[in-house]
Amino acid sequence: MKARTKNSLTFSDTLFVSGLSAVGILIPCLVVRLHFFQSAAVDLSPLRWLIALPATLLALLFVGFNLHTTFLRPWLYRRSHGDHNGYRHVSGAPGGGSLMIAIAALFLPNAPLIGGALLALYLLDPGGIHIAACMMLRECLTDMRKRSFQDG
């Protein structure tokens, strides 16, 4: 049996990536199911709105913060310092926006306009679960490809 190197993937790593990918796919499916293929009956109870509005605002804040840390912050640093030397990357709030979007989708009224806005927000989030799943899947595939070249 070959010795496991520090960077090789284990079975639990593969399961984690698979689970994360499944969650990343289920959130937009939930939004589409609830807001595009659900009846138009809307429960306007105050408790529903007390959950839906803060979840929506938090989703907007998470996505805005992730966009800031991913795109705006490095640009501002480069603009003020002339280059990226000394720049420290900050990861934002990974998964926070996706979670809040899922909660908002459950409690907001069922309407295609709201569903479309939630899907757009989900796709714009650079710190979302779907992005993390894609990055981890890329790492898994790269690792598998490297191992196949080493073994062959």
Side-chain angles (χ1 to χ4, degrees):
M1 187 165 148
K2 197 173 185 181
R4 183 175 160 339
T5 62
K6 184 178 179 182
N7 293 329
S8 66
L9 295 169
T10 63
F11 181 69
S12 62
D13 294 336
T14 308
L15 282 178
F16 180 75
V17 170
S18 301
L20 194 64
S21 299
V23 171
I25 292 169
L26 286 176
I27 291 174
C29 290
L30 171 77
V31 172
V32 168
R33 169 71 174 95
L34 290 175
H35 293 279
F36 291 97
F37 297 111
Q38 188 86 4
S39 66
V42 176
D43 176 22
L44 297 176
S45 67
L47 181 62
R48 186 173 184 163
W49 286 105
L50 284 175
I51 297 170
L53 291 179
T56 306
L57 290 175
L58 281 172
L60 285 167
L61 285 173
F62 276 125
V63 172
F65 179 66
N66 287 337
L67 285 168
H68 171 77
T69 58
T70 302
F71 300 111
L72 188 61
R73 188 172 176 267
W75 178 78
L76 290 172
Y77 186 89
R78 187 180 68 235
R79 188 168 179 215
S80 65
H81 292 85
D83 58 2
H84 281 293
N85 292 337
Y87 177 73
R88 294 193 56 165
H89 176 71
V90 176
S91 66
S98 299
L99 178 66
M100 290 299 120
I101 289 168
I103 292 170
L106 289 172
F107 291 99
L108 283 171
N110 304 332
L113 183 64
I114 292 172
L118 289 174
L119 282 175
L121 197 60
Y122 182 76
L123 292 174
L124 280 174
D125 187 5
I129 291 174
H130 61 293
I131 299 295
C134 288
M135 294 297 159
M136 288 183 191
L137 187 62
R138 186 184 74 177
E139 289 296 319
C140 286
L141 293 174
T142 303
D143 185 59
M144 287 171 39
R145 189 177 64 211
K146 283 180 185 176
R147 279 192 279 161
S148 70
F149 285 130
Q150 289 172 354
D151 292 342

